[in-house]
Every structure is written in structure tokens, then in C-alpha cells.
Amino acid sequence: MAEIIQKDGTWTFDGDTVRIVPGRDKGVGLLRQNLGEVAVPLRAVAGISYEPGRKAGRLRLRLRDGADPLLQVTGGRLGESSDPYRLTVEPDRTGVAEYFVDEVRNALLLDEVESGPADAYLLPGPAVPITVSAGDGTVAFDGDRLVLEWNWKTEDAKSSGGARSFRVADVKAVEWFPAAGLENGWLRFGLAGATAQAPAPKYDPHAVELFGFKKDPLMALVAAAVAARLPHPAAPPADAAPEPVAALAAAGAARSAEEPADHDALLRRLRELGELHQSGILTADEFAAAKQAVLRRF
């Protein structure tokens, strides 16, 4: 097992999964702290690199496009302190960082991992329930229902309608943009059936306006948790394929049924299915069906 421990965080690699635990250093942003441990399966990794520096180096993990709902919804707009896939490395740990890179790269080569875009999320996204207060409102999401409540900074035209509540099944799109310069950011939910163009975020009852304050990046976690439960952008149409994550689980079970039984691989598959079920991505029925397909191979 490869491991590197820094003030910025701890990364470990066991041959199958890169586990990332944020540190308690002042440079660790609130988003990373609240996201907590991230388990990245090797099949979601596109590459890894170490960039040495005079004062500190950087270890960077690059994920396949579309593999992580957080990266998908933030679209490269996360600040460095919020990026969970970056680790600041002290100069005296350069050798350890380079060894870590070699171990991950060797595993990618041996397992012949695809580096191209993914058509299903390979990470479950932030855990739910999740509640974040920032900008002009508070968003609560339990995995099924979203509730938006307003505060004293909310425009009267928006707050006069009271809190908004709707199911994730009614959401067709989620957008997150950080504040930049004098321009405010937003977290916006596009609902199915909406025909009129959405108003500016400050007036939109399905959007939270962000002013660039410390807690604003946390709204990206809500966006990612919702995005993880929407159809993947690269997935086939709903009438031609199962739900994205359910399809992934079914595909894994099908491969297990076709290939000779490898108990270690089957156990890994069961753990992955369990994590997807616990995080709310797989329903109880989807989890039971996929689990039975794997268990039949033992």
C-alpha cells in the first residue's frame, strides 16, 4: 500500500482505490472539510502527477471526465483550496509523492483502465442529508426532496412566495457558478416543465444567489449531491437504458456472470454496491438485484 501524510491531507492507495482524507491545515477549504473522505475507484482515474516546487510541491489526481458529479457540476470552477484532488506536499516528502505516483500509474497500466470520458458516475457524490446556508438562502436536500428557504438578504420579490419545496425527480438540471469579481454566483435548479426563461438568480425562487463569502463554495456540495441523482449527461436516453448508476451496477453484475469467479473481485463489487446503496444512489430493489447477481458467482 502507498501512503502520503501531509498537513494538507492524507492519500492512500491499496491497488484498487485512492482514499483522500482532508487535513486540518488552514489552507484546507471548507468544501474539502465538509466533503470529508473521498474514495476514488481506480477505474475513475485518468492520470496522476506530481509537480515539485521550491516551497511546496503538488500532487494532483486527474479523474475521467464525467466520473465525479462534483467535478461535473463545478466544471473546473473550484478554487484550489476547495479542490479535493490536489495535495500540497512538503519538499522533504518529494520521494514519497513520486513513489505514490508510480504506484497509481503502474496499477492503471496493469488494469488497462480507460482514461476517456465516463458515461456514468463512478463516485456517489456528497453524502445526504445535506443542508447549506450561504448567500441569500438555505438549501436542504435529503436525497429525495429539496427545500429552499430565504433570509434577510433575499429580494422581496423572491422571499414573498415563501420557502420552495420540490422533489429531485422534478429537477431536470442543476447549475453552480461561483462569484467572480463584482459578479455574484448562484446555485440554480431547473424544473421539468418550465417554459419561461429563468429570471436572474436574485429573483429566481428556484435559485440561491451567492455573494462570494466564505461558505458559498459549500453550495457546490448540494449541487453535486443533486447531480448524482440526475441522468448522467453522457448516458443514453431514459427510454433506451436503465438509470445511470443502476446501469453501472447491472453491467458489473453481468460481467461477473460472464467471467470466471474471482472472489476478491466479487467482494470488491459487493462493497461498491453497498456504498452506492448507503449513499442513496441505488434503490433497495436495484441493490438487491445487483447483489444477488454477484452472490450467484461465489
Side-chain angles (χ1 to χ4, degrees), residues 21-82:
V21 179
R24 299 184 178 276
D25 188 66
K26 62 181 180 181
V28 178
L30 279 178
L31 185 147
R32 288 173 60 197
Q33 295 174 23
N34 282 266
L35 179 61
E37 179 179 330
V38 179
V40 184
L42 187 65
R43 68 182 185 278
V45 177
I48 187 171
S49 63
Y50 174 67
E51 304 162 3
R54 202 167 77 182
K55 291 186 177 180
R58 286 186 177 86
L59 193 58
R60 294 185 184 274
L61 191 68
R62 185 167 59 86
L63 272 58
R64 295 170 59 190
D65 290 343
D68 179 15
L70 176 62
L71 295 184
Q72 180 72 28
V73 80
T74 55
R77 296 180 292 269
L78 280 179
E80 277 219 347
S81 66
S82 297

Side-chain angles (χ1 to χ4, degrees), residues 5 77 113 149 153 159 213 224 232 248 259 275 278 295:
I5 303 173
R77 296 180 292 269
V113 175
E149 297 182 326
K153 297 187 286 292
S159 62
F213 297 145
H232 191 280
L248 176 64
E259 299 168 358
E275 290 173 358
Q278 289 174 7
L295 289 177

Side-chain angles (χ1 to χ4, degrees), residues 13 19 35 52 61 69 75 87 119 131 165 170 183 188 195 217 220 230 236 247 279 298:
F13 178 58
R19 296 193 179 276
L35 179 61
L61 191 68
L87 182 70
D119 60 4
T131 301
S165 177
D170 298 323
E183 297 293 324
R188 189 202 304 270
T195 55
L230 300 182
S279 63
F298 277 95

